[in-house]
Amino acid sequence: MGASPSRWDGPVLTALRTPRQLRTEVLGGLVVALALIPEAISFSIIAGVDPRVGLFASFTMAVTIAFTGGRPAMISAATGAVALVIAPVAREHGIDYLVATVLLAGLIQVVLSVAGVARLLRFIRPSVMAGFVNALAILIFLGQLPHLIGVPWLVYPMVAVALVALVGLPKLTTAVPAPLVVIIVLTAVTMVFSLRVPDVGDEGALPTGLPALGLPAVPWNLETLWIIAPFALAMALVGLLESLMTATLVDEVTGTRSDKTREGWGQGLANLVTGFFGGMGGCAMIGQTMVNVKISGARTRISTLLAGVFLLALVVGLGGLVARIPMAALAAVMVVVAAGTVDWGSLAPKTVRRVPVTETAAMLVTVAVTVSTHNLAYGMVAGVLFATAADRLRPRRRDEPARPPDPVGARP
């Protein structure tokens, strides 16, 4: 089901023997951990559970997928898409049924992946992939607006300074990731001068203990299965789709290939482990993955593993300090990530003129549905269906190939 050990262990061993690369992996994991904390808390609120459920889920997902996943350096944790799917379970039946749903979803993901669901990626057109990427960028940006609207005026100069540093610092040095510098400096400034701005502590309470292993207290019968099965299937499909599409994007960014089948069943195992520790489950996170891969320059499983380890250490051991991190710093980081995620080549006038109108329309449909529903799975399905129907109905010239040329353009 997966690749040989040498194929996957080689890059890790190389990084461990190379101080500069190891530093990149360690710092990348630290930056991701800091950015994960407020998002995990926010997704817990969406799911209607205690913030600890989302934070522990992010820890177990990241650590497990570091060993089981098929795409090195990709970050998996609690996500908004999964939170939206399982929120009705927690609201109507309680946390134990939610955990049971996560366990069943993980099992379904393993079965689907072993059955070859990853091969379905070939049906996703380049125009739909471009729409997926651009919709992700929009959602990442929209997710920062609550931290930028209706806030104290001090937030705006802090964000401006952070954006300048995030863009300019990498041109001067790449020894330390720019996001880490921004987070440390702005946190120090707010603490030294006692600035009253929204911080991580305002997002929710941080845990003070470790997650505990156990099983959900639900009746193990057909009635329970009837309740959780629809939500578990939806969670499994959404998680697989987002994870496999994110893996494809990271392949493109890094110029490497990943094992999609291994990534699929790896996600399932990660959700199983998360469920046994009482977490809310999750899948690949495009925003944090781009922070790790594009901004920090990480390339191996070390960064993914350390993101989870640092997350737990920070919230449990240094919760008081982490709570003082200004949200302005984290919002600025994610705004830069959003700008870097956009597939600018697909929006270039020469690309739009070159490809059939139906291909551009498919991209726009994917973006529109994804942004309006805040659900990447809905957007992808709508885009694929539209592109397929339009391709079948559109009359072709005799000299036109059966499949339109790639409209995505070259990504940086």
Side-chain angles (χ1 to χ4, degrees):
M1 289 184 293
S4 63
S6 60
R7 176 182 171 188
W8 297 105
D9 295 344
V12 171
L13 294 177
T14 300
L16 291 174
R17 297 187 185 118
T18 310
R20 183 173 183 178
Q21 186 177 352
L22 181 59
R23 180 187 62 195
T24 298
E25 300 294 323
V26 172
L27 294 178
L30 179 58
V31 171
V32 169
L34 290 169
L36 274 175
I37 294 171
E39 293 206 358
I41 295 173
S42 298
F43 298 148
S44 299
I45 295 172
I46 292 174
V49 297
D50 188 279
R52 290 175 296 180
V53 177
L55 289 166
F56 289 156
S58 295
F59 160 68
T60 53
M61 287 293 299
V63 170
T64 306
I65 205 66
F67 294 97
T68 64
R71 174 64 262 178
M74 192 165 79
I75 304 298
S76 293
T79 63
V82 168
L84 287 171
V85 170
I86 61 178
V89 182
R91 183 173 59 250
E92 298 173 14
H93 303 283
I95 183 65
D96 286 303
Y97 279 84
L98 180 145
V99 173
T101 301
V102 173
L103 290 171
L104 180 58
L107 182 61
I108 293 173
Q109 287 178 325
V110 172
V111 172
L112 290 177
S113 300
V114 173
V117 71
R119 290 194 293 270
L120 295 177
L121 284 177
R122 68 179 184 271
F123 293 108
I124 297 178
R125 303 287 288 273
S127 56
V128 178
M129 182 63 185
F132 168 81
V133 171
N134 293 333
L136 284 173
I138 295 172
L139 289 179
I140 292 171
F141 176 76
L142 292 178
Q144 310 317 308
L145 292 184
H147 307 301
L148 301 174
I149 298 176
V151 294
W153 69 269
L154 280 172
V155 169
Y156 300 108
M158 292 178 70
V159 170
V161 170
L163 291 175
V164 171
L166 289 166
V167 174
L169 190 58
K171 298 178 181 179
L172 301 176
T173 179
T174 56
V176 181
L180 184 58
V181 174
V182 167
I183 292 170
I184 292 175
V185 171
L186 289 186
T187 301
V189 169
T190 57
M191 294 179 68
V192 170
F193 295 99
S194 300
L195 302 181
R196 304 186 67 177
V197 294
D199 55 29
V200 170
D202 295 328
E203 298 297 303
L206 300 179
T208 57
L210 299 175
L213 184 65
L215 288 173
V218 298
W220 297 92
N221 53 32
L222 290 178
E223 182 180 356
T224 299
L225 180 63
W226 183 259
I227 292 172
I228 67 176
F231 299 100
L233 179 60
M235 174 184 166
L237 294 176
V238 168
L240 280 178
L241 182 57
E242 289 204 28
S243 298
L244 295 178
M245 292 303 296
T246 302
T248 301
L249 178 59
V250 177
D251 290 351
E252 187 178 339
V253 170
T254 61
T256 58
R257 298 181 63 183
S258 60
D259 187 334
K260 304 299 189 301
T261 297
R262 175 170 174 167
E263 182 60 39
W265 60 256
Q267 290 287 334
L269 290 180
N271 274 308
L272 284 169
V273 171
T274 299
F276 285 128
F277 279 97
M280 58 181 280
C283 62
M285 296 189 73
I286 180 64
Q288 307 310 329
T289 298
M290 290 297 103
V291 169
N292 195 41
V293 174
K294 292 193 73 172
I295 295 183
S296 298
R299 290 292 183 271
T300 75
R301 301 172 185 275
I302 297 174
S303 58
T304 306
L305 173 64
L306 291 179
V309 173
F310 283 143
L311 171 64
L312 186 65
L314 287 169
V315 298
V316 174
L318 299 173
L321 180 60
V322 170
R324 299 296 302 275
I325 296 175
M327 290 304 300
L330 298 176
V333 170
M334 298 312 296
V335 167
V336 172
V337 169
T341 302
V342 175
D343 185 352
W344 298 105
S346 67
L347 304 177
K350 63 178 182 180
T351 302
V352 175
R353 290 194 298 267
R354 177 171 60 88
V355 302
V357 174
T358 52
E359 292 295 292
T360 301
M363 179 182 70
L364 295 176
V365 167
T366 304
V367 172
V369 174
T370 300
V371 173
S372 61
T373 63
H374 280 63
N375 191 308
L376 295 166
Y378 291 165
M380 292 298 299
V381 171
V384 169
L385 292 177
F386 180 89
T388 301
D391 192 41
R392 295 291 184 271
L393 297 175
R394 181 174 60 87
R396 293 191 181 87
R397 302 185 305 270
R398 292 183 178 180
D399 59 344
E400 184 179 349
R403 184 161 176 154
D406 185 350
V408 177
R411 289 182 57 81

